[in-house]
Amino acid sequence: MDNLHPLESKVLLALIRQPDGPPTLDQLEASTGLEPSQLSMAVEWLLAKSLIAVHSETVAHIASLTPIGELFFEKYAPIERVLSAAREAGQTGKRLTIQDIQVKEALEPSDVSKAVGTLKKEGAILIVQGGCIESTGRNSATAEAMRSLLQELRSGQRELQSFSEPLRNVLQQHAVKRGNAREPFRIDERVTRSFVLTPAGKDVADQLSRDGVAEEVSQLTPELLKEGAWRTKRFRKYTISLRAPRIAAGKRHPYREFLDLVKLKLVSMGFQEMRGTLVETEFWNMDALFMPQFHPARDIHDVYFVKNPTHARTIAEPYLTQVTQVHEKGTGAGSTGWGYTFDAERAKRLVLRSQGTAVSARTLASGASVPGKYFSIARCFRYDQVDATHATDFFQVEGIVLGADINFRTLLGLLNLFAREVAQAKEVKFLPAYFPFTEPSVEMHVRHPKLGWMELGGAGLFRPEVTTPLGVSVPVIAWGLGLDRMAMVALGIHDIRDLFSADLEFIRTMRGSF
Amino acid sequence: MPTISLQRDDLEALIAGPDEKPARIPLDQLEQWLMLVKGELKGHNAETGELRIELQDSNRPDLWCCEGIARQIRIKQRGSAISYPFFKKPKGVAGKLVVAQGMDQVRPYVAACTAVGYRVTASGLTQLIQTQEKLADIFGRKRRSVSIGLYRLAPIVFPVSYDLVKPDDVRFTPLGMETMMTLREILMVHPKGVEYGGIVGGHDRLPVLRDAKGQVLSFPPIINSLEIGEVQVGDHELFVEVTGTDLSMVALTLNIFAANLADRGAVITPIDIHSPVKTSFGRRWSTPIDFGAPRTIPLKAIESALGEALGGKEVTSALKSYGYTVKSAGQKVAVQLPPYRNDLLHTVDVVEDVAISQGYARFAPVMPSQFTVGGLSRLEQMADRVRHLMVGLEFQEIISNIMGSHQDFCTRMRLDGTEWAKVVEVDNVMSLSYSCLRQWITPSLLQVEANSSRAFYPHRMFEVGEVAIPEASVDVGSRTVTMLGAVIAHAGAHFSEIHSCLDLLLYYLDRPFTLEPVEHPSFLDGRAGKIVSNGRVIGLLGELHPEVLEHWQIGVPAVALELEIDRLLEEV
């Protein structure tokens, strides 16, 4: 019963209340007030569910006018026109052949000959010598029957049985049959069924009449809930297979989601976040990292210089002095130094931060904890043409680890941890590498599940020429992870510029698998 | 660092050495060996046999050539350094090179030698030229510190002089030209003169190398003479010189060339350098010169840096098979670099060479064991709170570039000529599109809006990101501020919509605030406000001015909010 459509309920109730025996569709239409299409739908459903059955099935023949019949009503049927032409000719004394009638009345030869045959048989006309037609003055029963049929059917279809037999005969003779469509009448069969409730249907109908029929509603409203009226309502069922309408969510940027995950991983591994500034001095960006002011190693850090002011006012002491000395003579760090004259003015030159290691250098100088682990996700700038693999500014994930237990093997151990935790990689390869501020230096390659072997990052032990002038006396790991490629794979993109896309539709639909 | 091109056959022959038959080296084997030189195979052309190799180490110019790579691999295979007799006990000198008085003011140093017996092949010549270019360009900083000349030896009559002359006094036919030119003309007309003239330009007198007959060898560091200074395939007697501004760099560069030519079979004979002033090599010395000094290192320093008790024997053998001269004595090792290297500044440099020689796989990774507490900065924590609230307010997060154009950050925002238009600008602009740092976030979001008219509305977006605000009182001239920017755009976008967001955001952050009207050119007058909290302006919001929207070609109304997250950390 839960599955009854409201239409079905209506029909069932109409059937139980029918006092005059099994009703036909027409009767049901009247008693339910349903549209014929709705009614026949409901009846078919109920038949399929065996809640109702066909009680009787009668076939009636219904007569109606065809378009030709409509035309005959307006312009008279061929038989009427032949008869009237013959009568007209008789009054004027004209001789009239069959051909004349055909031409005058613009009739088909077959129609004319059929009409002439009928009229002659009924004695309304005579065929005289020369094939001329003469009116006898008598009436034609067929022509009269035709006229009354045309008139009666024009006002609507009627059952064939309701006509008198002579009329019925004329109707049947002039009805559309196979092979002759040019007739004024048609006779259709109409099946009339009457319906009764099956025993199961009766049970359902009884229940319905007892409990009443729920009214169909589409939306549950506070009123329905408040008054409890929902109990008598029926909730329209939805076509839930349709696609949902689109909505926009408030959400994080997928790339930021990725970086948040990296952040979480690093914090969970005991790293403390550090932050720096977008504009840096060459001192912290390079000098403090023991990159000599003259050396080609600075070529790989083609940097953007700031226009105004061009220089910082001061570089904090004792760092300026200590870095100067270590560059010039290696003083204090057990080094030979670079053996050139350090330019303190150049150290003050302002640049856009080109490497996250600048943030690490500042942290070292500002009293980093020992043991200590630090990271930054720092925006950096490189003097590069923007293309699919170079963005004007980008995130560098970098950091340091300070501790008495730090050495080359613990460096490799830390990188193993990164490979496992950050890249979910099981296989790791360590290659010799070069960075101006670390020695030894390592490049870490991991086997990525989708990309195969790829470089995950670079690391090394800070040269003592970096740590000593900044007041750090324990070994320090410096590490950097190149995560953009991993992010691009996770986000399904191929152009680094898409990480910073300005296309809202693209950002709304981009999703990561990480 | 440099990427060089070389021939696989050539490399294989050099790895085999003069006495062995070259063998085909599989590429994966080669890639393994390239770890010894911090090299990466970038490309291989099977048809031509060309290999492209990138060398990482900017302190090892000796490796930026086929000979150097092959040498490092060969030494590893034989387990000991290759000795070059001309560094130790040369059999006489090939001639004298006299440096003129006053040269210390222009381009002080020179080193030279002769190389006889190697008949230059086409691929050998290509390599010589490539090495010359890479060394002068990268190591020599575009010839400023170091430049190199190669000559046919036969026409040269010793002694050669490294003279200073007036720009119009000397004429010769430079490479690439057909007529005699004065030095002045070369500086003005010759492509190399135009490119490198700045290095010596400005001096009254310019350097030339001339032989005893007055024939010009070259005008360093600009151009060689056509007659003597054009080495060709088939030549088998060469003269090599290096000039520059740094004595050890000049000497090192010649050492590298001498070793390279010796590896190809040439006999190297030194040249005596006569200097008018005393240098760290004295007044007279001959080049090539082994100017390295032994360095004594405690074994323990190496072992503790590596975290592995290798023992004296393994350390010694590792360094020997990497080209060092090593003497082990108890708990110390005395090490000396081969003469073609000069990159030993600190013990750690030796430590790395031990590790590279043994292979990094020799060292088992160990987890650092000390406990540390991880955490985010207060600023990042606040930024994350704001981000999460904005997501809850149904905004889509955006990430934009911080670098952009004055046009976007100021002009389109109607800010030109106002106090709001102060931005950090770049001096060496590459492209006008990326010439300054954003001072607020709204333009970044309008950029998105301008690109997204086809994305269904409403548009609600935010970015929490860094901006740079110029401020004279700050040492680096600007403050880096973490800022929230938010924009709502749709046909009915309205002040109260963004106002409600701000209200709720600051309610949850427990930050009481008031709005004060502000006349800001980016916003409609009377529909913009400063966000004031605890007596400080911490942001602003308003309905964007129709002209701003027009500038961005945005077809719907938009409202914006800008809030300094750093300020939210301050005590109320």
Side-chain angles (χ1 to χ4, degrees):
Chain A
M1 177 166 166
D2 286 344
N3 293 329
L4 281 185
H5 191 277
L7 293 177
E8 294 175 312
S9 304
K10 280 194 172 166
V11 173
L12 288 176
L13 285 172
L15 281 169
I16 204 172
R17 287 178 198 134
Q18 202 69 40
D20 308 325
T24 61
L25 269 187
D26 289 345
Q27 289 165 323
L28 277 173
E29 199 178 314
S31 58
T32 59
L34 292 175
E35 292 291 313
S37 60
Q38 290 180 319
L39 180 63
S40 62
M41 237 173 13
V43 165
E44 289 310 315
W45 292 339
L46 289 168
L47 283 171
K49 290 176 180 173
S50 297
L51 292 177
I52 63 171
V54 175
H55 175 260
S56 67
E57 190 170 284
T58 54
V59 180
H61 292 93
I62 305 296
S64 59
L65 281 190
T66 65
I68 302 272
E70 299 278 351
L71 196 71
F72 285 1
F73 175 77
E74 300 284 340
K75 307 224 167 128
Y76 299 96
I79 193 168
E80 293 175 288
R81 285 160 72 175
V82 171
L83 185 60
S84 110
R87 282 181 181 156
E88 200 180 314
Q91 280 159 13
T92 55
K94 260 188 177 174
R95 288 167 60 88
L96 195 65
T97 63
I98 292 180
Q99 281 76 18
D100 291 339
I101 296 174
Q102 205 174 303
V103 170
K104 183 170 171 270
E105 299 291 332
L107 289 167
E108 293 288 322
S110 61
D111 287 346
V112 176
S113 57
K114 192 178 170 190
V116 168
T118 306
L119 290 172
K120 189 176 157 229
K121 198 170 150 194
E122 289 180 336
I125 58 167
L126 287 172
I127 311 284
V128 298
Q129 202 180 3
C132 289
I133 292 171
E134 282 179 9
S135 168
T136 61
R138 269 191 260 167
N139 283 337
S140 159
T142 303
E144 282 163 10
M146 181 66 85
R147 179 52 35 194
S148 75
L149 282 170
L150 287 171
Q151 269 166 0
E152 291 204 26
L153 286 176
R154 185 150 189 281
S155 58
Q157 57 186 24
R158 269 176 65 177
E159 215 174 311
L160 187 61
Q161 289 304 322
S162 68
F163 289 101
S164 64
E165 200 183 342
L167 280 178
R168 202 156 68 222
N169 288 340
V170 172
L171 207 160
Q172 276 168 327
Q173 278 166 22
H174 292 90
V176 172
K177 294 176 195 71
R178 189 169 299 178
N180 185 9
R182 299 190 65 257
E183 293 292 351
F185 311 114
R186 63 181 300 132
I187 299 168
D188 295 306
E189 279 189 358
R190 178 186 292 172
V191 180
T192 306
R193 294 182 296 179
S194 62
F195 302 95
V196 288
L197 292 168
T198 61
K202 186 154 189 325
D203 289 347
V204 174
D206 284 345
Q207 204 183 329
L208 273 178
S209 72
R210 216 171 33 246
D211 301 345
V213 181
E215 184 193 334
E216 187 190 70
V217 290
S218 62
Q219 178 69 47
L220 183 60
T221 62
E223 288 73 26
L224 288 177
L225 280 169
K226 193 175 168 191
E227 294 153 11
W230 62 269
R231 290 174 207 282
T232 60
K233 304 295 183 205
R234 184 184 170 82
F235 294 94
R236 186 164 61 78
K237 294 188 179 184
Y238 299 143
T239 311
I240 57 170
S241 56
L242 293 179
R243 276 201 75 166
R246 266 192 80 185
I247 54 168
K251 64 177 185 67
R252 288 182 288 164
H253 191 287
Y255 181 37
R256 185 66 84 168
E257 253 186 286
F258 175 86
L259 292 172
D260 282 348
L261 199 65
V262 171
K263 202 163 81 180
L264 179 70
K265 288 279 184 193
L266 289 166
V267 169
S268 70
M269 287 186 273
F271 285 85
Q272 178 71 43
E273 193 207 7
M274 39 181 192
R275 294 180 82 97
T277 54
L278 297 173
V279 175
E280 256 302 358
T281 54
E282 279 204 54
F283 182 82
W284 291 108
N285 197 62
M286 292 154 180
D287 295 329
L289 296 169
F290 198 54
M291 296 169 67
Q293 293 179 323
F294 67 87
H295 201 276
R298 281 199 169 181
D299 290 351
I300 57 171
H301 295 109
D302 284 341
V303 297
Y304 281 112
F305 295 97
V306 174
K307 197 174 195 172
N308 182 33
T310 53
H311 289 76
R313 279 193 300 275
T314 54
I315 300 292
E317 289 292 4
Y319 308 114
L320 177 61
T321 303
Q322 288 171 6
V323 168
T324 302
Q325 286 175 349
V326 89
H327 273 244
E328 291 184 346
K329 293 176 185 147
T331 312
S335 170
T336 62
W338 290 115
Y340 74 107
T341 307
F342 186 85
D343 179 357
E345 199 54 27
R346 170 122 190 235
K348 293 181 198 160
R349 185 74 177 97
L350 293 173
V351 297
L352 302 188
R353 178 175 61 206
S354 71
Q355 45 187 353
T357 323
V359 185
S360 299
R362 288 233 187 219
T363 301
L364 287 180
S366 61
S369 306
V370 179
K373 297 203 200 101
Y374 296 89
F375 81 99
S376 71
I377 300 181
R379 204 70 85 95
C380 298
F381 305 84
R382 289 274 168 88
Y383 196 75
D384 268 328
Q385 289 289 353
V386 173
D387 60 26
T389 52
H390 297 91
T392 163
D393 49 87
F394 51 93
F395 289 102
Q396 271 197 347
V397 184
E398 295 220 11
I400 47 177
V401 180
L402 304 87
D405 66 337
I406 293 306
N407 56 45
F408 185 59
R409 287 179 62 194
T410 47
L411 164 67
L412 300 184
L414 179 82
L415 294 180
N416 258 349
L417 182 69
F418 282 154
R420 206 166 56 232
E421 290 298 317
V422 181
Q424 283 81 47
K426 294 190 181 75
E427 284 181 81
V428 184
K429 234 172 17 184
F430 298 115
L431 272 62
Y434 173 80
F435 306 106
F437 36 80
T438 56
E439 197 86 10
S441 307
V442 188
E443 214 173 69
M444 169 172 48
H445 291 235
V446 297
R447 199 197 280 282
H448 185 277
K450 285 182 193 154
L451 295 172
W453 285 105
M454 61 168 277
E455 188 181 336
L456 182 64
L461 301 177
F462 261 138
R463 300 186 65 99
E465 294 97 325
V466 175
T467 52
T468 313
L470 302 181
V472 173
S473 56
V474 293
V476 179
I477 290 172
W479 56 269
L481 297 175
L483 299 178
D484 280 351
R485 204 158 152 236
M486 237 170 70
M488 287 165 71
V489 171
L491 301 176
I493 58 174
H494 305 285
D495 188 322
I496 198 165
R497 287 167 293 191
D498 286 342
L499 294 176
F500 303 90
S501 170
D503 179 342
L504 185 60
E505 175 69 14
F506 178 76
I507 299 165
R508 278 174 169 173
T509 50
M510 194 196 330
R511 62 186 162 188
S513 55
F514 25 73
Chain B
M1 282 286 105
T3 298
I4 62 167
S5 160
L6 45 84
Q7 287 297 315
R8 192 171 175 181
D9 291 343
D10 193 26
L11 180 70
E12 286 166 350
L14 284 161
I15 289 174
D19 308 324
E20 299 286 331
K21 207 168 161 253
R24 172 97 317 181
I25 299 167
L27 287 181
D28 51 349
Q29 169 71 72
L30 183 64
E31 285 192 295
Q32 285 290 314
W33 282 345
L34 286 177
M35 287 192 203
L36 292 167
V37 298
K38 297 184 191 175
E40 189 187 340
L41 188 59
K42 286 285 185 187
H44 167 234
N45 185 331
E47 263 171 46
T48 61
E50 188 204 10
L51 300 174
R52 290 176 55 75
I53 297 173
E54 185 187 31
L55 285 315
Q56 284 193 26
D57 198 330
S58 62
N59 293 338
R60 289 287 307 271
D62 62 300
L63 296 177
W64 305 349
C65 52
C66 191
E67 299 89 338
I69 294 170
R71 186 183 307 128
Q72 192 72 69
I73 294 170
R74 189 149 65 97
I75 291 170
K76 181 70 198 170
Q77 288 179 315
R78 45 182 272 161
S80 64
I82 295 163
S83 81
Y84 294 96
F86 48 87
F87 285 119
K88 297 263 155 62
K89 22 182 196 309
K91 300 168 189 157
V93 296
K96 243 181 4 184
L97 199 162
V98 182
V99 181
Q101 198 72 241
M103 190 60 88
D104 50 339
Q105 299 303 312
V106 182
R107 194 170 177 82
Y109 305 111
V110 65
C113 68
T114 64
V116 176
Y118 162 60
R119 195 169 288 278
V120 176
T121 61
S123 76
L125 185 60
T126 310
Q127 287 300 309
L128 279 177
I129 292 170
Q130 176 174 268
T131 309
Q132 186 184 2
E133 283 173 355
K134 296 290 179 192
L135 287 183
D137 203 41
I138 302 170
F139 184 62
R141 289 187 303 148
K142 302 195 188 308
R143 304 193 187 180
R144 194 166 289 276
S145 318
V146 165
S147 65
I148 303 134
L150 293 168
Y151 311 83
R152 291 184 292 120
L153 177 61
I156 299 172
V157 180
F158 286 95
V160 169
S161 59
Y162 183 37
D163 279 342
L164 280 174
V165 297
K166 292 202 173 125
D168 300 313
D169 285 1
V170 170
R171 292 157 57 85
F172 71 102
T173 309
L175 280 173
M177 293 285 165
E178 284 164 1
T179 54
M180 304 267 278
M181 296 168 86
T182 65
L183 303 189
R184 187 188 301 283
E185 285 166 345
I186 289 172
L187 287 181
M188 284 165 57
V189 176
H190 197 285
K192 299 290 176 189
V194 173
E195 188 175 355
Y196 298 107
I199 300 170
V200 288
H203 289 288
D204 300 343
R205 295 187 301 160
L206 300 173
V208 285
L209 279 164
R210 287 187 291 197
D211 77 351
K213 281 169 46 186
Q215 302 181 89
V216 174
L217 277 67
S218 69
F219 168 22
I222 313 294
I223 192 75
N224 279 11
S225 100
L226 179 66
E227 287 90 7
I228 306 176
E230 186 176 42
V231 175
Q232 289 170 346
V233 171
D235 287 343
H236 60 104
E237 294 180 331
L238 304 179
F239 176 73
V240 186
E241 57 76 18
V242 181
T243 61
T245 55
D246 181 293
L247 181 58
S248 57
M249 282 171 78
V250 167
L252 179 71
T253 305
L254 185 78
N255 289 357
I256 291 169
F257 259 89
N260 287 0
L261 286 162
D263 285 352
R264 290 191 177 277
V267 173
I268 304 297
T269 309
I271 296 285
D272 262 343
I273 309 293
H274 290 237
S275 167
V277 293
K278 194 160 182 272
T279 70
S280 58
F281 294 162
R283 282 180 183 275
R284 275 189 59 178
W285 65 94
S286 68
T287 58
I289 179 170
D290 183 0
F291 58 96
R295 195 180 166 116
T296 305
I297 299 171
L299 195 56
K300 203 152 180 295
I302 296 175
E303 290 179 337
S304 70
L306 289 172
E308 183 80 51
L310 295 174
K313 211 172 153 191
E314 187 174 343
V315 169
T316 304
S317 108
L319 288 174
K320 277 188 173 163
S321 60
Y322 203 65
Y324 279 76
T325 306
V326 190
K327 285 193 187 101
S328 172
Q331 287 307 300
K332 290 183 176 175
V333 281
V335 300
Q336 187 173 349
L337 285 176
Y340 48 84
R341 284 182 63 180
N342 185 29
D343 59 321
L344 206 174
L345 277 71
H346 194 279
T347 308
V348 293
D349 297 301
V350 181
V351 169
E352 185 183 77
D353 284 344
V354 171
I356 291 175
S357 180
Q358 294 304 89
Y360 282 6
R362 160 74 178 80
F363 301 89
V366 177
M367 272 297 297
S369 57
Q370 291 182 310
F371 178 79
T372 57
V373 176
L376 296 177
S377 64
R378 285 184 66 221
L379 180 56
E380 185 71 4
Q381 289 177 44
M382 181 58 84
D384 281 351
R385 284 186 73 192
V386 169
R387 288 174 56 221
H388 289 141
L389 286 167
M390 290 308 287
V391 166
L393 289 166
E394 293 189 23
F395 284 76
Q396 165 68 56
E397 188 176 26
I398 304 292
I399 305 183
S400 312
N401 285 118
I402 291 176
M403 223 177 174
S405 64
H406 183 92
Q407 161 95 356
D408 285 355
F409 300 155
C410 304
T411 311
R412 284 183 155 166
M413 303 308 295
R414 302 176 82 236
L415 298 180
D416 283 344
T418 73
E419 53 166 329
W420 314 90
K422 283 190 292 181
V423 292
V424 171
E425 284 179 70
V426 163
D427 212 355
N428 51 334
V429 173
M430 176 182 281
S431 129
L432 276 180
S433 313
Y434 304 109
S435 54
C436 40
L437 301 186
R438 66 181 177 189
Q439 80 282 29
W440 60 328
I441 305 271
T442 300
S444 299
L445 298 177
L446 291 183
Q447 171 107 56
V448 177
E449 181 55 37
N451 267 300
S452 305
S453 59
R454 283 187 303 171
F456 65 93
Y457 287 92
H459 294 169
R460 295 161 77 89
M461 46 202 170
F462 81 98
E463 176 167 358
V464 169
E466 287 174 317
V467 305
I469 300 177
E471 201 163 303
S473 63
V474 178
D475 203 48
V476 292
S478 59
R479 281 196 303 137
T480 296
V481 174
T482 299
M483 192 87 96
L484 162 71
V487 161
I488 301 175
H490 60 94
H494 189 265
F495 181 86
S496 63
E497 218 175 336
I498 196 82
H499 188 187
S500 299
C501 293
L502 172 73
D503 202 51
L504 202 54
L505 180 69
L506 290 184
Y507 169 78
Y508 286 125
L509 296 175
D510 196 12
R511 192 82 195 184
F513 75 98
T514 54
L515 284 191
E516 290 176 10
V518 64
E519 277 185 41
H520 187 293
S522 299
F523 299 100
L524 271 175
D525 198 19
R527 298 187 180 187
K530 287 188 286 193
I531 306 164
V532 182
S533 177
N534 199 27
R536 293 193 82 148
V537 176
I538 62 170
L540 78 166
L541 84 171
E543 279 185 29
L544 285 162
H545 196 284
E547 198 173 85
V548 169
L549 299 178
E550 260 180 26
H551 289 158
W552 284 99
Q553 295 184 301
I554 291 171
V556 292
V559 291
L561 158 69
E562 197 89 14
L563 186 68
E564 282 191 42
I565 292 177
D566 297 66
R567 295 271 188 240
L568 298 177
L569 293 177
E570 291 166 2
E571 293 294 318
V572 179

